[in-house]
Amino acid sequence: MTSINELRKHVRAPVVTPDDSDYDTARAVWNGMIDRRPAAVVQAERVDDVIAAVNFARDNGLPLAVRGGGHSAPGYGTIDNGLVIDLSPMGSIEVDADARTARVGGGATLADLNEATHAHGLATPGGIVSTTGVGGLTLGGGIGYLTRGFGLSIDNLRSADVVTADGQLRHASESENPDLFWALRGGSGNFGVVTTFEFDLHPVDQVVVGLFFYELEHAGDLLRFFRTWITDADERYGAFPAFQVAPPLPFLPEDRHGDTFCAAIVHWSGPVEEGQAAMQPFRDLAPRVGEMVEPMPYTWLNGAFDDLFPRGVRSYWKGNYVTELTDEAIDAHLAHGPKAPNASSTMHLYPINGAASRVGATDTAFSYRHATFSTVIVSAWADASEDAANTAWVRDYAAALTPHSEAGGYVNFMSDDDLGRVTDTYGSNYARLMKVKQTYDPGNLFSHNQNIAP
Ligand code: FAD
């Protein structure tokens, strides 16, 4: 405690410890299964707080966790007996509409970012749930509706301000500290605390969204259609197939709420008047139990799934990259997808072709540029008594897909028991990542993550 009092002398931001009444709130992350008790949580408000906390953790040998939006499924945003740097107070966004760029605080959420850019009819690629942190999502890659059109989030990153393990604030871009900039783009939280991200923005305003629910007997048709269609579909589409227990959506028959379906979630960012025609392939492929096609602001779409994944829900995740969706892989999907335990349990098959695949495999740390899809299998549930059933569904489904997938998977969809897959996830980029780690974090201060050991 003496040493934490020492820390308080160096940071102006609140330092929350077990004696404080808000300790339980401060230590919690999105995944309700994570119950860790840090020695202190620094609720960083400015770069100086981050520098002081990094120096303090390093000099006192304290384990360190860095939290952006707190969404990491294995709970890397909190840690037992160590120091947490919570960046959530650092969520400011500055948009330069003329230059089409945004400067984004390291603790901003996608909602913060999208709302600020939407005011100018602009957006940058992010994910599908608005409460996710820009920080963790970007540092792992960033896959979402705009990936095919504009690339991963990292492909739109112009620069980053980073506090590295030596307590220095460094600017990283193609021209300054380029090795650090390379590693930040996919290497996750291994290289320092990013206090500001600078992104390119694109004109994206109203989009047309289609949600199509089909009977499970058409799941094979949907997946086979999708694997062919997505290879050369217009890049203004961001679409993915899913298995989904029906929430009480108004466009689904009331007596089918709670039944399991296969679904297509389709986003069209071309002209709104072309939206209905753009959705036609998803009407032609099979009869729909229910569908919704509507123009809406991009920000609305980005929050559409939020209610299925509230803060504090229990959760478990697995992911794989897929180059070719084979018939055998589809059989595995048909065997496991329909067993989704609840409305917050799903498989999404995100396409990562298009603009994302035009970046070279060694141009950023994100190495799977040749993959067509990034699969995520996720379950979220409220009651601890359902832990075993939900994790078993995710594990069994992922195990069935493993023989039909690449060895690596998207770092942001990995669980703690996937740590052994980090080398596969980075493939031939791993050796270079290790070298950059040796330069900027030789003592592995930033180790509470899918770790690249120096
Ligand atoms: P945190 O738990 O705060 O951080 C995750 C990791 O990043 C930690 O190692 C942390 O130390 C590090 N980190 C975070 N911010 C910083 C920073 N500023 N500087 C240095 N290190 C930092 N991913 C997608 O790509 N697309 C999706 O559509 C998508 N949907 C999701 C939906 C839900 C409901 C959830 C829970 C996750 C989703 N993800 C998605 C995965 C998401 O990208 C990861 O969980 C990501 O790690 C979340 O980032 P965060 O900042 O919220 O998490």
Side-chain angles (χ1 to χ4, degrees):
M1 187 48 72
T2 315
S3 62
I4 297 298
N5 285 337
E6 192 60 29
L7 170 66
R8 284 199 170 99
K9 291 184 196 157
H10 296 280
V11 294
R12 284 187 287 170
V15 178
V16 182
T17 60
D19 297 334
D20 292 311
S21 58
D22 54 348
Y23 177 69
D24 282 337
T25 310
R27 71 189 177 90
V29 288
W30 170 79
N31 187 348
M33 287 179 92
I34 309 295
D35 181 22
R36 300 196 183 119
R37 303 189 66 82
V41 179
V42 175
Q43 295 173 329
E45 292 170 346
R46 50 183 85 74
V47 173
D48 286 359
D49 298 329
V50 175
I51 292 173
V54 164
N55 286 337
F56 186 84
R58 187 196 59 240
D59 293 345
N60 290 279
L62 270 180
L64 180 64
V66 178
R67 187 188 309 161
H71 262 212
S72 141
Y76 291 138
T78 190
I79 195 164
D80 278 327
N81 306 316
L83 190 66
V84 174
I85 302 177
D86 175 4
L87 297 167
S88 58
M90 295 177 67
S92 69
I93 317 278
E94 287 167 40
V95 178
D96 183 336
D98 293 332
R100 290 190 182 167
T101 58
R103 288 179 60 77
V104 179
T109 63
L110 291 177
D112 298 331
L113 172 57
N114 289 331
E115 279 160 22
T117 59
H118 186 70
H120 304 277
L122 300 168
T124 200
I128 62 154
V129 171
S130 78
T131 50
T132 307
V134 172
L137 176 128
T138 300
L139 294 170
I143 297 170
Y145 294 108
L146 301 175
T147 298
R148 297 185 67 250
F150 301 114
L152 301 170
S153 299
I154 49 171
D155 301 336
N156 294 275
L157 189 64
R158 296 169 72 98
S159 72
D161 293 332
V162 195
V163 177
T164 45
D166 56 2
Q168 298 298 307
L169 177 66
R170 296 170 200 269
H171 190 66
S173 67
E174 290 288 3
S175 54
E176 261 181 88
N177 298 303
D179 52 346
L180 179 60
F181 187 54
W182 175 86
L184 289 173
R185 287 174 293 162
S188 195
N190 275 283
F191 300 94
V193 185
V194 178
T195 53
T196 305
F197 296 90
E198 186 192 9
F199 291 103
D200 281 323
L201 305 176
H202 309 276
V204 178
D205 193 351
Q206 293 286 308
V207 299
V208 179
V209 176
L211 300 178
F212 301 92
F213 279 67
Y214 311 91
E215 298 287 6
L216 283 172
E217 69 195 69
H218 297 300
D221 300 330
L222 171 63
L223 293 170
R224 280 185 293 273
F225 162 78
F226 202 82
R227 74 176 166 192
T228 312
W229 175 81
I230 202 66
T231 54
D232 60 358
D234 191 308
E235 291 182 5
R236 291 170 293 182
Y237 282 108
F240 57 91
F243 287 96
Q244 185 65 51
V245 175
L249 293 168
F251 62 86
L252 293 173
E254 233 176 272
D255 62 343
R256 303 300 306 274
H257 294 171
D259 288 356
T260 307
F261 298 97
C262 59
I265 294 85
V266 188
H267 153 273
W268 167 255
S269 60
V272 168
E273 57 279 13
E274 292 175 16
Q276 288 291 344
M279 298 297 155
Q280 197 55 40
F282 291 87
R283 293 179 166 136
D284 293 341
L285 84 92
R288 281 87 55 221
V289 178
E291 69 166 53
M292 185 213 79
V293 174
E294 275 183 28
M296 60 184 67
Y298 176 71
T299 40
W300 191 95
L301 171 63
N302 201 238
F305 290 94
D306 289 6
D307 290 348
L308 292 176
F309 301 101
R311 189 179 163 86
V313 75
R314 306 174 79 78
S315 194
Y316 185 72
W317 296 54
K318 290 245 175 251
N320 274 319
Y321 291 120
V322 176
T323 302
E324 193 193 341
L325 185 65
T326 61
D327 287 342
E328 292 76 17
I330 290 177
D331 287 344
H333 281 292
L334 300 184
H336 292 270
K339 297 182 195 159
N342 66 65
S344 302
S345 313
T346 192
M347 184 288 300
H348 290 175
L349 193 61
Y350 297 123
I352 52 172
N353 64 349
S357 64
R358 288 194 288 276
V359 177
T362 57
D363 290 352
T364 67
F366 187 103
S367 62
Y368 272 84
R369 297 289 182 168
H370 63 283
T372 315
F373 301 105
S374 175
T375 316
V376 64
I377 304 162
V378 52
S379 200
W381 62 97
D383 195 330
S385 66
E386 295 167 15
D387 287 1
N390 280 272
T391 50
W393 176 72
V394 175
R395 282 204 178 110
D396 292 349
Y397 196 160
L401 293 178
T402 298
H404 316 294
S405 305
E406 299 284 335
Y410 178 38
V411 70
N412 278 343
F413 293 160
M414 294 290 177
S415 284
D416 246 356
D417 51 10
D418 289 312
L419 282 169
R421 297 175 64 197
V422 178
T423 46
D424 285 331
T425 287
Y426 292 110
S428 56
N429 284 340
Y430 192 79
R432 184 172 171 193
L433 281 164
M434 269 175 66
K435 280 182 76 174
V436 182
K437 182 82 171 170
Q438 282 156 12
T439 305
Y440 291 99
D441 186 16
N444 208 5
L445 181 65
F446 301 105
S447 61
H448 195 52
N449 44 39
Q450 297 283 335
N451 195 228
I452 294 158

